Amino acid sequence: VVGLFLARPHEVEHLRKVLESLVLWTEAPGYTIAIWTGLLIFLRIAEVARVEAKPGEGSWPTLLWLLMEDEEAAKRITTLWQRALANRLTTRQALRNILRRWVRSVDNDTRLEPAFERLIMALADTNDENDRERIVAFLENRVDDPKDQSRIAARLLTLV
C-alpha cells in the first residue's frame, strides 16, 4: 500500500483514494489487526513519502503538502492522525518519530506552517481532553528540548 501511494506522488485524486482506503481500514469497530495494520501503513507513508517543494528547493512530507492542496485529503489525513494518536500501539511512533520530524521540517521551511498549524489545531480541538493534553505535552516537549527546540511548537503552544 505504501508503494501504491508512492507510485503517483503528485496525483491528488490517486493519493486521496489510498487515504480513503486507510480511513476505512482503521474505522472502529473493526478487526484489531486491520486497524493496526492500516495505522502502521499510514505512519509509514507519513514517514517516507516526500514531494519536491519546487525544483532545487528540497522536499516536503507528502501528507503535509496534501493538507495544503486538497480539502478532502486533509480531512482524511486528520482522521488518520487522530486514530494513530489515540491508538496505544501507534501513539508513541506517531509522536516521537513522525510528528517530531514534521516539526523539524516546518521549522526549516516556513511555507509548511499553515498546513502544520491546521493539523495541530484539529488534533487538539476534539471532545476528548486526552487528545488535547497529548498534543500540548508533545508541543511542550519540543519547546523544552535544549537539543531540538522548536520555534513552531512554541508558537502553536500559545494557540492550543
Side-chain angles (χ1 to χ4, degrees):
V1 177
V2 174
L4 183 62
F5 188 88
L6 298 173
R8 300 183 196 168
H10 286 95
E11 292 183 28
V12 173
E13 182 64 27
H14 170 79
L15 300 176
R16 194 184 305 144
K17 287 177 183 177
V18 174
L19 292 169
E20 180 60 24
S21 296
L22 291 173
V23 167
L24 293 173
W25 282 4
T26 60
E27 199 166 51
Y31 294 108
T32 302
I33 193 73
I35 291 171
W36 284 348
T37 301
L39 292 174
L40 291 172
I41 289 169
F42 169 71
L43 291 175
R44 184 68 179 152
I45 289 169
E47 181 178 19
V48 302
R50 311 277 299 175
V51 294
E52 195 170 345
K54 286 186 181 176
E57 292 188 13
S59 63
W60 291 345
T62 302
L63 296 179
L64 263 178
W65 169 75
L66 268 176
L67 283 166
M68 296 185 289
E69 290 296 313
D70 185 72
E71 186 62 33
E72 285 302 311
K75 289 176 188 174
R76 292 171 183 151
I77 292 165
T78 301
T79 297
L80 289 163
W81 268 113
Q82 288 168 333
R83 292 175 183 175
L85 292 171
N87 188 290
R88 63 182 172 81
L89 178 73
T90 55
T91 190
R92 175 174 271 170
Q93 179 186 4
L95 286 172
R96 292 191 181 170
N97 295 339
I98 295 129
L99 212 52
R100 187 175 185 168
R101 286 185 191 136
W102 281 22
V103 166
R104 286 187 202 122
S105 293
V106 176
D107 278 335
N108 291 326
D109 191 335
T110 58
R111 295 175 294 177
L112 293 168
E113 279 189 32
F116 190 70
E117 178 179 330
R118 176 182 177 183
L119 175 65
I120 293 298
M121 297 309 289
L123 295 177
D125 186 26
T126 68
N127 293 330
D128 187 342
E129 188 61 26
N130 290 330
D131 293 342
R132 185 184 175 288
E133 289 175 10
R134 185 181 300 115
I135 293 300
V136 168
F138 169 76
L139 294 172
E140 287 173 343
N141 286 337
R142 299 290 43 85
V143 171
D144 294 339
D145 186 343
K147 294 181 181 179
D148 196 20
Q149 195 172 38
S150 169
R151 173 193 51 77
I152 188 64
R155 188 174 74 70
L156 292 176
L157 199 51
T158 66
L159 301 176
V160 176

